[in-house]
């Protein structure tokens, strides 16, 4: 061989790193095909059961549709009707009242329960007992409480009468929304408490030791240490609780059916009534679209105002 037929391998310049050899397509893709196989079923389920119905609902909100006849495009007429609908605004007001009552009572009760579990016991049995009401179906919970709070034969009213007090119409116009909020608070408090309990376990014990050394009381430690460090968890809890509260339906459907005199006709029940009782699916789709936009806006504001993506534990 001569020097003309064989080229000498290029020498690396001192102080530089030679380029790595080109990677094959299999190396570049890595675990991507396997990841796609695992993600694909969930993606298909989301597209079929969530994305397509949402797009179909947005289209139906622009039509007049009653199932028996094909949809007729009417533009924004359903939305124009919505803004002048007194029942819609009443349903929104009733829903807001329920949301405030449910969120306040549920969050306070869940926080107290989570702190008690964190301080007194971390037993798995206790956590299972706390979560038990959440595992019972909403319809079953509503039926049981409806029987217990009945004005005539309810156990609670019998006890109240035995104490010498007047019976209470728990599902009457004045007590209906607080009663329904109390029922759902009883069911969901355990689940919310476990979320907060998990957040408490993420706080390093050294933080509490430092607060104790500085002479902070239990109350001051809770407000200035525990709550700020729980901010990401509390943001998640609040978003889930608000969205779930706006979607209350089955408890009302089993107990009051929107009565008396629209006192418990929340927005979800109003949508159901328009769609499946009055067969006005176009208008019901418009109500659903407005509710979707409302919930998305509320969730966005909650996450931004609570700075859910930040944590005071960084760098600690």
């Amino acid at each position: 061989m001569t020097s003309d037929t064989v080229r000498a391998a290029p020498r690396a310049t001192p102080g530089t790193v030679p380029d790595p050899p080109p990677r094959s397509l299999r190396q570049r893709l890595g675990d991507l095909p396997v990841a796609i196989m695992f993600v694909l079923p969930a993606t298909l389920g989301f597209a079929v059961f969530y994305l397509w119905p949402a797009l179909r609902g947005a289209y139906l909100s622009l039509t007049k549709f009653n199932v028996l006849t094909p949809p007729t495009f009417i533009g924004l007429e359903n939305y124009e009707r919505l803004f002048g609908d007194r029942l819609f605004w009443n349903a929104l007001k009733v829903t807001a009242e329920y949301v405030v009552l449910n969120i306040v009572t549920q969050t306070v009760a869940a926080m107290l329960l989570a702190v008690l579990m964190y301080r007194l016991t971390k037993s798995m049995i206790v956590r299972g007992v706390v979560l038990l009401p959440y595992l019972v179906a909403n319809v079953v919970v509503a039926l049981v409480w409806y029987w217990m709070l009945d004005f005539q034969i309810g156990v609670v009213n019998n006890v109240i009468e035995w104490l010498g007090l007047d019976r209470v119409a728990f599902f009457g116009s004045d007590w209906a929304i607080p009663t329904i909020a109390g029922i759902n608070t009883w069911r969901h408090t355990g689940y919310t408490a476990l979320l907060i309990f998990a957040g408490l376990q993420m706080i390093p014990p050294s933080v509490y030791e430092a607060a104790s050394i500085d002479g902070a009381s239990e109350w001051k430690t809770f407000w200035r240490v525990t709550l700020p460090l729980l901010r990401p968890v509390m943001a998640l809890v609040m978003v889930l609780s608000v969205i779930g509260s706006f979607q209350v339906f089955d408890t009302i459907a089993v107990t009051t059916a929107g009565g008396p005199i629209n006192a418990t006709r929340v927005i979800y029940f109003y949508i159901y009534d328009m769609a499946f009782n009055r067969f006005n699916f176009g208008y019901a789709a418009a109500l659903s679209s407005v509710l979707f936009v409302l919930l998305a806006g509320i969730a966005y504001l909650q996450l931004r105002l609570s700075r859910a993506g930040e944590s005071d534990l960084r760098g600690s």
Side-chain angles (χ1 to χ4, degrees):
M1 295 185 182
T2 64
S3 59
D4 296 334
T5 58
V6 178
R7 294 182 179 180
R11 296 181 179 180
T13 305
T16 62
V17 179
D19 295 333
R23 300 194 306 170
S24 64
L25 178 62
R26 181 184 182 89
Q27 290 175 326
R28 289 200 299 269
L29 292 178
D31 295 330
L32 181 62
V34 178
I36 291 176
M37 288 178 57
F38 280 101
V39 173
L40 187 60
T43 305
L44 291 176
F46 174 80
V48 172
F49 296 107
Y50 289 93
L51 183 59
W52 169 246
L55 296 176
R56 175 71 171 170
Y59 165 71
L60 290 178
S61 70
L62 304 174
T63 66
K64 183 178 181 180
F65 181 46
N66 62 2
V67 177
L68 301 178
T69 58
T72 304
F73 185 80
I74 58 174
L76 299 176
E77 288 185 19
N78 285 326
Y79 293 95
E80 294 174 0
R81 173 187 171 185
L82 181 148
F83 287 108
D85 187 355
R86 289 183 300 173
L87 285 178
F88 165 73
W89 293 109
N90 178 74
L92 207 57
K93 180 179 74 70
V94 171
T95 305
E97 179 185 351
Y98 167 81
V99 169
V100 171
L101 288 173
N102 188 52
I103 294 301
V104 171
T105 56
Q106 185 181 143
T107 304
V108 172
M111 179 64 74
L112 292 174
L113 188 58
V115 171
L116 285 176
M117 286 194 300
Y118 182 77
R119 290 298 182 92
L120 301 180
T121 178
K122 298 181 182 179
S123 169
M124 291 293 294
I125 297 177
V126 173
R127 291 187 229 174
V129 173
V130 168
L131 190 62
L132 191 59
Y134 182 76
L135 302 179
V136 183
N138 257 347
V139 173
V140 176
V141 172
L143 285 173
V144 171
W145 278 101
Y146 185 63
W147 172 76
M148 292 175 61
L149 299 174
D150 185 83
F151 185 79
Q152 298 294 338
I153 62 173
V155 176
V156 175
N157 267 315
N158 287 336
V159 173
I160 291 176
E161 189 178 37
W162 179 76
L163 293 174
L165 303 175
D166 294 332
R167 289 175 175 264
V168 179
F170 287 103
F171 295 101
S173 58
D174 295 331
W175 283 91
I177 285 296
T179 299
I180 292 171
I183 293 173
N184 286 328
T185 295
W186 177 85
R187 182 180 183 268
H188 292 90
T189 293
Y191 174 75
T192 306
L194 288 182
L195 291 178
I196 299 175
F197 178 77
L200 289 173
Q201 289 187 310
M202 295 171 57
I203 300 176
S206 57
V207 176
Y208 292 112
E209 293 174 2
S212 177
I213 293 173
D214 289 342
S217 63
E218 292 285 338
W219 186 248
K220 186 177 293 185
T221 301
F222 175 77
W223 282 103
R224 297 189 178 182
V225 176
T226 303
L227 278 184
L229 295 181
L230 278 178
R231 187 178 63 247
V233 176
M234 293 306 298
L236 171 66
V237 167
M238 293 302 295
V239 169
L240 293 178
S241 299
V242 169
I243 293 176
S245 297
F246 265 95
Q247 294 176 336
V248 61
F249 171 78
D250 35 18
T251 307
I252 289 175
V254 170
T255 55
T256 62
I261 317 175
N262 296 325
T264 60
R265 187 181 291 271
V266 293
I267 186 65
Y268 237 60
F269 192 84
Y270 187 44
I271 294 172
Y272 167 82
D273 183 43
M274 278 292 170
F276 297 103
N277 290 336
R278 308 186 190 187
F279 299 103
N280 195 341
F281 285 90
Y283 187 56
L287 292 170
S288 301
S289 299
V290 170
L291 179 62
F292 171 78
V293 173
L294 179 64
L295 290 180
I298 291 175
Y300 175 77
L301 287 176
Q302 284 182 296
L303 293 175
R304 286 297 301 270
L305 294 177
S306 61
R307 295 178 293 141
E310 304 176 11
S311 175
D312 294 336
L313 287 174
R314 290 181 180 177
S316 60

